């Protein structure tokens, strides 16, 4: 049986979702919606789909099995609730929604309808992260002592869609957007939840006084492991590096590049598992969940756990103290 999907939001990541679907069996995209008619039509023409500007009309008419929601963050709640009410499973982009309350509303409705929420936490499908997770699972490195995650980039660039730099629409700046990836990566790699957050943010980007451009965070996992995250988006040199320190060795992940392992004080590169488009892996996972009637790892509950950490980070910076993450 072929599962049908429609896309809502034909922007940067929406395109990648359709590209992945076009190369998969067992799932077919039939239509897409974007309020920008030209963008909708261009994208629809490329993939041979029907274009809509009104997502409600599309969902009501096409009645897909899956609605892919790739929209500005402030629209996630409204659109997710509509699609669930129409009986669709969701592939909902990260961060799941703007707040803990919004996530809970979406989860409650999905549960009451027996529908799946799959939050697009792509870090879990990147080859280097999967390689590192396999090494951690072997359990030969002893106890995890700390995690240090560093991500730097130029965030305030002219090609960034304007809504990302409007906190009412994005939920914040670099923390709400890229911080979601760092938090997910740590929780997933360590198979735990972040329970405490202490953070110091900076608001130094010219023209964007209410959008944070960096965050230094100290996050504690449910197993008591301290994790530092340093995230900056000024005129940074693009880098993404995670180091996990164990009692009997260390792992270093250079995202999209390589994985390094040390058991004796010297790092050696470890062959990464074959890199597969993370969007493809996400859909394969979602299709299996629908077929088997089970919740994914990136469930609504999981997506909400990431949003709760984001909220705790902002609160910690505002209150200038460590904050417990909602559980
Ligand atoms: N998982 C990842 O690695 C990853 C990467 C990039 C973005 N994202 C996430 O994907 C989502 C979208 O980000 P993006 O970079 O594609 O943004 P984008 O701005 O490029 O695309 C959003 C699209 O939504 C459309 N839109 C806005 N309001 C609409 C409405 N009411 N109805 C229909 N369409 C509407 C816009 O016209 C635009 O085309 C965000 O949640 C973002 O955080 C995830």
């Amino acid at each position: 049986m072929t599962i049908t999907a429609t896309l809502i939001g034909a922007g940067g990541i929406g395109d990648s979702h359709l590209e992945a679907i076009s190369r998969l069996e067992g799932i077919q995209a039939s239509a897409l919606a974007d309020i920008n008619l030209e963008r909708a039509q261009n994208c629809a023409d490329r993939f041979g789909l029907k274009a809509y500007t009104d997502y409600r009309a599309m969902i009501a008419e096409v009645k897909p099995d899956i609605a892919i929601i790739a929209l500005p963050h402030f629209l996630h709640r409204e659109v997710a609730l509509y699609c669930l009410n129409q009986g669709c499973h969701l592939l909902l982009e990260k961060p799941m929604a703007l707040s803990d309350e919004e996530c809970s509303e979406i989860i409650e409705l999905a549960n009451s309808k027996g529908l799946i929420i799959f939050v697009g936490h792509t870090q879990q499908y990147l080859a280097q992260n999967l390689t590192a997770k396999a090494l951690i699972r072997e359990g030969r490195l002893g106890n995890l002592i700390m995690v240090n995650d560093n991500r730097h980039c130029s965030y305030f660039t002219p090609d960034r869609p304007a809504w990302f730099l409007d906190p009412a629409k994005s939920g914040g700046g670099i923390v709400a957007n890229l911080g979601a990836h760092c938090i997910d990566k740590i929780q997933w790699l360590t198979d735990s939840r972040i329970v405490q957050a202490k953070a110091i943010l900076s608001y130094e980007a010219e023209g964007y006084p209410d959008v944070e451009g960096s965050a230094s965070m100290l996050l504690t996992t449910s197993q008591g492991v301290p994790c530092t995250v340093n995230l900056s988006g000024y005129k940074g040199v693009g880098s993404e590096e995670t180091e996990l320190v164990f009692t009997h060795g260390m792992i270093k992940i250079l995202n999209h590049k390589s994985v390094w392992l040390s058991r004796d004080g010297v790092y050696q590169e470890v062959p990464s598992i074959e890199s597969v488009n993370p969007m493809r892996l996400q859909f394969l996972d979602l299709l299996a969940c629908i077929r088997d009637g089970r919740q994914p790892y990136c469930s609504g509950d999981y997506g909400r756990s990431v949003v709760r950490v984001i909220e705790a980070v902002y609160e910690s910076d505002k209150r200038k103290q460590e904050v417990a993450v909602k559980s």
Side-chain angles (χ1 to χ4, degrees), residues 11-13 34-35 39 71 73 75-76 93-94 120 122 161 163:
I13 203 73
D34 197 296
I35 37 160
R39 190 174 296 176
L71 291 168
H73 305 156
L75 293 168
H76 287 196
E93 265 303 342
K94 50 57 59 180
T122 37
W163 67 265

Side-chain angles (χ1 to χ4, degrees), residues 127-171:
Q128 290 73 29
N129 291 344
L130 286 163
T131 306
K133 179 118 179 179
L135 289 171
I136 296 167
R137 280 208 169 128
E138 280 177 11
R140 295 198 292 146
L141 292 169
N143 295 335
L144 180 62
I145 298 299
M146 65 173 76
V147 181
N148 298 310
D149 185 66
N150 291 298
R151 185 167 180 164
H152 306 290
C153 65
S154 285
Y155 193 73
F156 300 88
T157 53
D159 59 341
R160 179 167 293 287
W163 67 265
F164 274 110
L165 302 174
D166 176 352
K169 294 184 172 164
S170 60

Side-chain angles (χ1 to χ4, degrees), residues 104-124:
S104 298
E105 218 182 326
I106 298 169
I107 293 168
E108 219 167 281
L109 183 59
N111 288 347
S112 75
K113 300 211 167 264
L115 292 164
I116 291 171
I117 305 169
F118 191 108
V119 183
H121 284 297
T122 37
Q123 290 290 319
Q124 300 180 18

Side-chain angles (χ1 to χ4, degrees), residues 19-311:
E19 178 64 35
I21 289 177
S22 72
R23 293 167 192 275
L24 275 171
E25 285 176 7
I27 180 167
Q28 193 164 19
S30 45
L32 64 82
D34 197 296
I35 37 160
N36 180 326
L37 175 61
E38 197 187 337
R39 190 174 296 176
Q41 200 57 64
N42 279 341
C43 191
D45 288 348
R46 237 180 6 268
F47 292 98
L49 308 177
K50 186 166 176 192
Y52 293 77
T53 49
D54 177 355
Y55 77 87
R56 290 169 190 261
M58 174 182 74
I59 296 288
E61 207 176 300
V62 178
K63 300 195 188 314
D65 299 308
I66 301 170
I68 303 162
I69 301 176
L71 291 168
H73 305 156
F74 75 106
L75 293 168
H76 287 196
R77 172 194 165 273
E78 166 200 315
V79 179
L81 294 178
Y82 180 81
C83 295
L84 288 169
N85 271 319
Q86 295 293 315
C88 306
H89 300 293
L90 304 183
L91 195 160
L92 178 53
E93 265 303 342
K94 50 57 59 180
M96 182 175 167
L98 288 182
S99 66
D100 175 43
E101 289 73 21
E102 288 192 2
C103 294
S104 298
E105 218 182 326
I106 298 169
I107 293 168
E108 219 167 281
L109 183 59
N111 288 347
S112 75
K113 300 211 167 264
L115 292 164
I116 291 171
I117 305 169
F118 191 108
V119 183
H121 284 297
T122 37
Q123 290 290 319
Q124 300 180 18
Y125 299 93
L126 297 178
Q128 290 73 29
N129 291 344
L130 286 163
T131 306
K133 179 118 179 179
L135 289 171
I136 296 167
R137 280 208 169 128
E138 280 177 11
R140 295 198 292 146
L141 292 169
N143 295 335
L144 180 62
I145 298 299
M146 65 173 76
V147 181
N148 298 310
D149 185 66
N150 291 298
R151 185 167 180 164
H152 306 290
C153 65
S154 285
Y155 193 73
F156 300 88
T157 53
D159 59 341
R160 179 167 293 287
W163 67 265
F164 274 110
L165 302 174
D166 176 352
K169 294 184 172 164
S170 60
I174 199 162
V175 172
N177 184 15
L178 303 184
H181 289 305
C182 304
I183 293 161
D184 164 44
K185 194 201 290 190
I186 290 172
Q187 291 202 142
W188 174 75
L189 280 174
T190 62
D191 245 330
S192 61
R193 293 286 186 273
I194 289 161
V195 295
Q196 296 277 340
K198 170 85 180 86
I200 299 176
L201 312 187
S202 75
Y203 292 82
E204 302 279 343
E206 228 177 293
Y208 300 101
D210 54 353
V211 182
E212 85 281 359
S214 78
S216 299
M217 316 177 211
L218 176 61
L219 310 174
T220 311
T221 72
S222 41
Q223 286 145 4
V225 175
C227 308
T228 61
V229 178
N230 288 301
L231 185 58
S232 78
Y234 298 107
K235 301 256 185 283
V237 178
S239 64
E240 243 185 285
E241 194 173 318
T242 308
E243 210 159 26
L244 297 106
V245 180
F246 298 82
T247 47
H248 294 96
M250 290 169 69
I251 295 174
K252 180 158 68 175
I253 308 167
L254 304 182
N255 256 23
H256 307 290
K257 287 188 190 138
S258 54
V259 182
W260 299 77
L261 172 67
S262 161
R263 289 202 180 92
D264 55 5
V266 180
Y267 268 131
Q268 308 268 3
E269 187 169 356
V270 179
S272 260
I273 62 162
E274 192 194 344
S275 179
V276 177
N277 178 353
M279 301 293 164
R280 177 185 176 84
L281 296 178
Q282 276 190 163
F283 281 115
L284 286 173
D285 217 352
L286 174 54
L287 292 180
C289 289
I290 293 174
R291 201 179 46 233
D292 304 344
R294 64 178 162 82
Q295 287 295 326
Y297 190 98
C298 308
S299 63
D301 277 348
Y302 183 84
R304 178 172 59 186
S305 77
V306 173
V307 170
R308 284 173 169 170
V309 179
I310 292 171
E311 288 190 306

